[in-house]
Amino acid sequence: MSCQPAIRRQRPFTLVLAMLIAVVGIAGGLSSPALAATIGVDAPAETTVGETVSVSATISDADGPIVGADVAVTRLAAIGGTSGFVELDRGVTDESGVVEFEFVQNADSSETAQMRIEYDGPDGIEAEEFEMVVRPGPQQRSGSAGLDMGFVNVGWLFVVLALVWGVLILAVYQLVAISRANDGPGQPLSLAPYAMVTFVLLTAVGMFVVIARQPTTHANLTPNESFNRSPDAIVGEEYDYLGYRDENTPRPDDLGGQALYVQNGCAGCHGPSGGGAMAGGELTDATMSDREEVVEAIRRGPKGMPTYGGEVLTDVEIDRMIEYVLDANGD
Amino acid sequence: MGEVTESPKVHPGTGESAWDDRLDEHVIAPVKRAGRGYVLWLVGLSAMIVWGVFAYSTQVRDGLYVTGMRDRISWGLYISSFVFFIGISHAGTLISAILRVSNASWRTPITRIAESITVVALVTGGLMVIVDMGKPLRLYQMFINGNWQSPLMWDMFAITIYLTASVTYLLVPMVPDLALFRDRLDGRVPRFQWWIYAVFSFGWRGNTAQKKSLTKSISLLAVLIIPIAVSVHTVVSWIFAMTLRVSWNSTIFGFFFVTGAIFSGIAALILVLAVVRRRFHLQEYITSVHFEYLGYLLLTAAMVMLYSNASEYITKGFHASEDDLFAFRELFLTEFAPLYWFYFFGGLVFPILIVAFKRTRNVIGLSIASAFVLVAMFIERYFIVVAGLRVPLMPYEPASYAPTWVEWSVFGAGLALFLLLLTLFTKFFPVLAVWEMKEEHEARMARVPTEHEAVEQ
């Protein structure tokens, strides 16, 4: 009963267009029934992360229940800057127009899940929205968080490092003392020992700063009630990540732009279809205005992006990929 | 090895100052002399480094793709040599700090060289990791996006602290000797060189207050640097042991790495000492007794290594999983067997035999044994890294790895850099801890020789 979850991107433009048509249609006084179907939802108001949730929907129209309707339950999810409704389960209505769904709640516990029942009817998709409160639960898709011993924490790292650096600085400081106890002729660059103490001090402080300001990834190592992984999301068709390719790896030379984009790992950093994610920026018309610069960027790999040399991607493939990204994300 | 003078000749009553002066001259001599062979040696090393930099530039341009590393075997020669060099750096710690703390006075003439090996090996080893990162800018990412939960970050912290501490530990005991150079070489060396001696002797005049500060600093450092050094190689082992890899999944990995580090450190020290003492004619100070004692340390370390091997492999082999069996088969019988058995017999058993027999327990014998130990320990690092990564995590074909010319060139450059820095250090800085040797000499002169010492003379 469970299917491959899929994000359908919301296109504001299409929505506006649809609304326009609807307004024009109503204004034109077309005398058809306002909405083809009624969607009734029976869902728990509160859920827990990791819990298997049962939701049922009833689809009916003026003539009574619709039998054999294709219905899905979806949830609004965001990943790497893109958002859309992720399909959680899909089913077909029985003779009383009822469809039962089951899915594992994997929304972030900090949010109220925006849910939607989508009925794929003869007049296109009709949807009924509802909400679910998501409470923290056991984590999923990560190993256990380990033994939680409150007194074993990063504080001790600070203590040990402070101790070590303290002794080290004390030892270096003796050079200042030696220099000041000079009872003979003066020495050149008498500031040198002070500079050394300062340098060591700054290195120590730098180390503390690096620890203190670390980003919050790997949060699964620090048990945190509200933390959860983002849900899986696959954009449209599924492509395997191929790893680093070279001239010896056989590959079809007719891969489409999207396949190339996913298979070369761009999606990992720039988000599915270029919407931007943690590491790489958003790829839009604006950032990709100069074609030559874009090709150069892919070849050279700016600011931590890997380089994609000629053995990995041909010029033609890069072109195809850029077309795809512009098409999918450029507005 | 020519005529080898045993322990320093002591002539009671005929003037310590003569002994002192001769020592001064011996230590200062290298600074003033530069033969043709020396220049050739420098040119050769520099050429290797230039070639390595060129190879590295292709890597910066085209990415890590130019190495043999791929997604399944993602560490290779670079990381092996990183572990190797960091291991070598334990020479200074053991000889200098542990022996200083335990008051073993025979160490005095060899401490300086041991400490300089530490610093030079650390610099080289640190560079090897940066090379392994691919783009050097990724180092910056470690500062900006580093996570202290990651063993890689622990490694960075440990090595930063170790480098700072060991540079200090090299510099501080050298202050009085740099002052000696400052006083004795004024006007005899280029101005800038003299200026360096003058700056880094920090106005040392040898007065009581200064001696007090110096002693305090050295005692603090000697005690501090032992746990730091142990932590460094433990953490280096943890970047392996903390990942989910069959061959690295071991609780004695930290201990194993630290022992291996000390083992290879002693070997490096023996080899460097043999060369330095011959080149700079220091046979009077670095005697065959030193080699003998270092030989015993080498023997002990080799025994502990053998024991670690037994403990690690027998424990795992007794209830081996399928993955363990794959790893063992490759290590002991097929793919990596020549490497392993060379390491076992050439690097562990052979040195033990050399030290065990009196006939071979001399400078030449120990130098040969040390060379074997160094090669074997490098090989050990290599098969730990590569054989460990070769065990498939999922049912796929085991991947292969062979270093490319870029990796070999960069590795060669690393080795050349190590030797070059060491050469320059021994040329421009005092290779013996002169002031400490004088103090000890004085102390020895001040009391009646014991029967044992009298026999030695």
Side-chain angles (χ1 to χ4, degrees):
Chain A
M1 186 81 170
S2 88
C3 306
Q4 196 54 261
I7 279 194
R8 232 161 288 131
R9 291 171 48 74
Q10 279 184 312
R11 297 191 165 275
F13 178 67
T14 335
L15 276 178
V16 170
L17 203 70
M19 274 159 67
L20 251 154
I21 292 173
V23 169
V24 169
I26 291 166
L30 294 171
S31 57
S32 64
L35 254 184
T38 331
I39 303 175
V41 183
D42 181 12
E46 284 201 354
T47 58
T48 312
V49 174
E51 167 191 52
T52 307
V53 181
S54 303
V55 169
S56 69
T58 317
I59 315 290
S60 58
D61 59 9
D63 306 332
I66 301 176
V67 181
D70 183 9
V71 190
V73 59
T74 63
R75 178 169 62 75
L76 185 62
I79 175 174
T82 15
S83 64
F85 279 90
V86 180
E87 183 177 303
L88 301 172
D89 201 4
R90 178 175 283 276
V92 177
T93 50
D94 60 13
E95 58 279 4
S96 41
V98 177
V99 53
E100 301 276 356
F101 302 112
E102 245 182 27
F103 56 89
V104 174
Q105 183 56 279
N106 58 1
D108 275 357
S109 55
S110 50
E111 67 181 11
T112 302
Q114 304 295 321
M115 310 291 297
R116 217 157 90 157
I117 300 289
E118 294 181 1
Y119 159 48
D120 200 355
D123 306 316
I125 299 213
E126 290 176 43
E128 177 70 24
E129 304 209 345
F130 62 103
E131 287 184 347
M132 274 179 167
V133 174
V134 186
R135 281 199 315 242
Q139 303 180 25
Q140 350 134 48
R141 275 197 222 100
S142 55
S144 70
L147 207 54
D148 181 8
M149 295 188 284
F151 58 93
V152 181
N153 55 40
V154 70
W156 292 106
L157 188 58
F158 279 90
V159 172
V160 171
L161 286 180
L163 210 71
V164 169
W165 281 112
V167 176
L168 195 49
I169 288 166
L170 194 62
V172 179
Y173 178 76
Q174 300 309 311
L175 292 177
V176 173
I178 288 176
S179 169
R180 289 175 53 157
N182 178 10
D183 50 6
Q187 72 232 51
L189 210 67
S190 54
L191 278 180
Y194 294 96
M196 287 178 62
V197 175
T198 315
F199 178 80
V200 176
L201 197 69
L202 286 181
T203 314
V205 171
M207 196 169 276
F208 286 107
V209 172
V210 166
I211 300 174
R213 67 170 295 285
Q214 71 159 350
T216 50
T217 58
H218 283 216
N220 53 335
L221 291 177
T222 34
N224 177 352
E225 288 261 288
S226 67
F227 173 75
N228 278 295
R229 300 279 172 87
S230 1
D232 294 283
I234 288 156
V235 190
E237 209 177 322
E238 194 179 340
Y239 300 103
D240 289 336
Y241 169 60
L242 279 189
Y244 209 79
R245 297 188 295 161
D246 59 25
E247 69 264 37
N248 303 320
T249 317
R251 55 176 155 160
D253 53 9
D254 56 349
L255 283 178
Q258 183 176 16
L260 285 165
Y261 183 82
V262 176
Q263 291 191 335
N264 285 290
C266 317
C269 293
H270 290 288
S273 66
M278 288 282 264
E282 195 180 0
L283 303 174
T284 60
D285 276 350
T287 55
M288 308 220 304
S289 54
D290 185 332
R291 182 64 76 101
E292 250 171 58
E293 266 176 28
V294 170
V295 175
E296 174 74 9
I298 296 170
R299 290 271 185 240
R300 286 265 162 224
K303 299 186 192 164
M305 169 172 154
T307 53
Y308 292 87
E311 328 78 35
V312 185
L313 286 170
T314 62
D315 287 342
V316 182
E317 287 175 325
I318 288 187
D319 268 355
R320 240 182 267 152
M321 220 161 41
I322 294 175
E323 289 307 330
Y324 159 72
V325 175
L326 284 177
D327 186 42
N329 197 55
D331 282 327
Chain B
M1 225 26 330
E3 346 64 291
V4 173
T5 326
E6 287 300 311
S7 60
K9 287 274 177 291
V10 178
H11 306 289
T14 56
E16 303 134 33
S17 66
W19 191 87
D20 287 3
D21 285 349
R22 207 150 36 95
L23 177 58
D24 289 355
E25 279 316 312
H26 266 131
V27 172
I28 287 173
V31 181
K32 294 179 294 184
R33 207 160 41 91
R36 254 240 309 274
Y38 172 76
V39 174
L40 271 179
W41 170 247
L42 287 193
V43 169
L45 292 178
S46 309
M48 273 174 83
I49 293 174
V50 169
W51 177 253
V53 169
F54 164 71
Y56 178 60
S57 77
T58 67
Q59 178 184 312
V60 171
R61 195 185 61 222
D62 297 337
L64 281 171
Y65 170 75
V66 300
T67 68
M69 297 183 278
R70 289 296 182 269
D71 50 356
R72 288 182 199 162
I73 297 191
S74 51
W75 277 345
L77 199 62
Y78 292 158
I79 290 295
S80 314
S81 45
F82 155 70
V83 180
F84 175 73
F85 279 121
I86 303 288
I88 299 277
S89 78
H90 284 58
T93 322
L94 176 86
I95 301 307
S96 188
I98 297 185
L99 296 183
R100 194 189 293 271
V101 169
S102 59
N103 247 334
S105 64
W106 61 271
R107 71 173 157 99
T108 318
I110 59 177
T111 45
R112 182 67 41 75
I113 292 174
E115 285 153 15
S116 64
I117 292 177
T118 298
V119 172
V120 167
L122 264 182
V123 169
T124 318
L127 285 177
M128 295 313 288
V129 200
I130 297 176
V131 167
D132 184 77
M133 288 179 162
K135 289 189 202 180
L137 257 178
R138 292 213 175 116
L139 186 64
Y140 167 75
Q141 293 293 329
M142 295 281 280
F143 296 115
I144 299 306
N145 292 319
N147 256 286
W148 56 260
Q149 288 106 331
S150 160
L152 291 175
M153 286 301 281
W154 311 344
D155 214 19
M156 195 171 91
F157 294 159
I159 291 176
T160 308
I161 295 178
Y162 191 32
L163 186 60
T164 317
S166 48
V167 169
T168 317
Y169 193 49
L170 172 65
L171 178 65
V172 170
M174 199 161 61
V175 166
D177 297 341
L178 287 173
L180 174 78
F181 273 29
R182 174 197 63 197
D183 297 340
R184 299 286 290 268
L185 290 174
D186 195 1
R188 290 159 74 189
V189 292
R191 197 72 202 148
F192 177 70
Q193 193 180 335
W194 181 84
W195 187 80
I196 294 280
Y197 299 143
V199 169
F200 288 102
S201 49
F202 303 111
W204 175 266
R205 306 285 159 209
N207 59 40
T208 329
Q210 289 181 324
K211 277 190 177 146
K212 228 175 111 190
S213 297
L214 189 80
T215 316
K216 185 169 172 191
S217 185
I218 292 177
S219 325
L220 284 174
L221 285 167
V223 173
L224 182 69
I225 210 158
I226 297 170
I228 292 181
V230 170
S231 82
V232 166
H233 231 63
T234 306
V235 171
V236 167
S237 87
W238 281 351
I239 66 175
F240 297 92
M242 299 277 170
T243 31
L244 298 170
R245 285 281 172 180
V246 175
S247 317
W248 301 341
N249 190 5
S250 158
T251 54
I252 67 162
F253 239 43
F255 170 78
F256 201 6
F257 268 50
V258 173
T259 313
I262 291 174
F263 185 44
S264 56
I266 299 168
L269 182 61
I270 291 179
L271 218 51
V272 173
L273 277 181
V275 174
V276 166
R277 126 182 162 129
R278 188 172 178 159
R279 221 192 102 64
F280 299 139
H281 311 291
L282 301 176
Q283 284 90 343
E284 183 179 344
Y285 312 104
I286 303 171
T287 67
S288 57
V289 173
H290 291 108
F291 285 90
E292 196 180 327
Y293 286 2
L294 286 174
Y296 294 144
L297 288 178
L298 192 73
L299 174 99
T300 314
M303 298 277 214
V304 180
M305 286 301 285
L306 274 181
Y307 168 73
S308 310
N309 270 271
S311 172
E312 169 76 357
Y313 294 127
I314 294 176
T315 313
K316 267 195 185 175
F318 197 77
H319 47 66
S321 68
E322 206 176 308
D323 294 330
D324 289 329
L325 286 180
F326 177 93
F328 284 169
R329 193 175 306 115
E330 294 227 310
L331 191 57
F332 300 137
L333 297 175
T334 59
E335 193 77 12
F336 299 97
L339 293 181
Y340 183 81
W341 294 113
F342 172 80
Y343 153 77
F344 189 88
F345 288 109
L348 301 179
V349 176
F350 174 64
I352 291 179
L353 293 179
I354 292 265
V355 183
F357 293 104
K358 199 163 171 52
R359 279 180 63 89
T360 46
R361 198 192 310 138
N362 52 34
V363 180
I364 295 184
L366 285 169
S367 302
I368 295 173
S370 298
F372 267 78
V373 168
L374 286 177
V375 175
M377 283 311 292
F378 184 82
I379 285 176
E380 190 217 44
R381 300 335 191 173
Y382 182 84
F383 68 63
I384 284 181
V385 171
V386 178
L389 286 169
R390 212 176 119 80
V391 183
L393 292 178
M394 280 190 277
Y396 53 64
E397 279 294 298
S400 292
Y401 164 81
T404 60
W405 70 270
V406 174
E407 285 168 282
W408 284 118
S409 308
V410 171
F411 170 63
L415 218 54
L417 181 69
F418 174 78
L419 294 173
L420 181 71
L421 291 177
L422 212 53
T423 310
L424 292 179
F425 180 84
T426 51
K427 165 114 180 92
F428 292 112
F429 292 95
V431 288
L432 299 179
V434 176
W435 66 276
E436 274 187 282
M437 288 169 68
K438 282 185 189 161
E439 264 182 15
E440 264 162 28
H441 182 68
E442 222 165 277
R444 200 165 345 169
M445 298 300 301
R447 67 192 157 89
V448 187
T450 61
E451 201 177 316
H452 175 69
E453 280 166 345
V455 170
E456 252 183 24
Q457 290 164 30

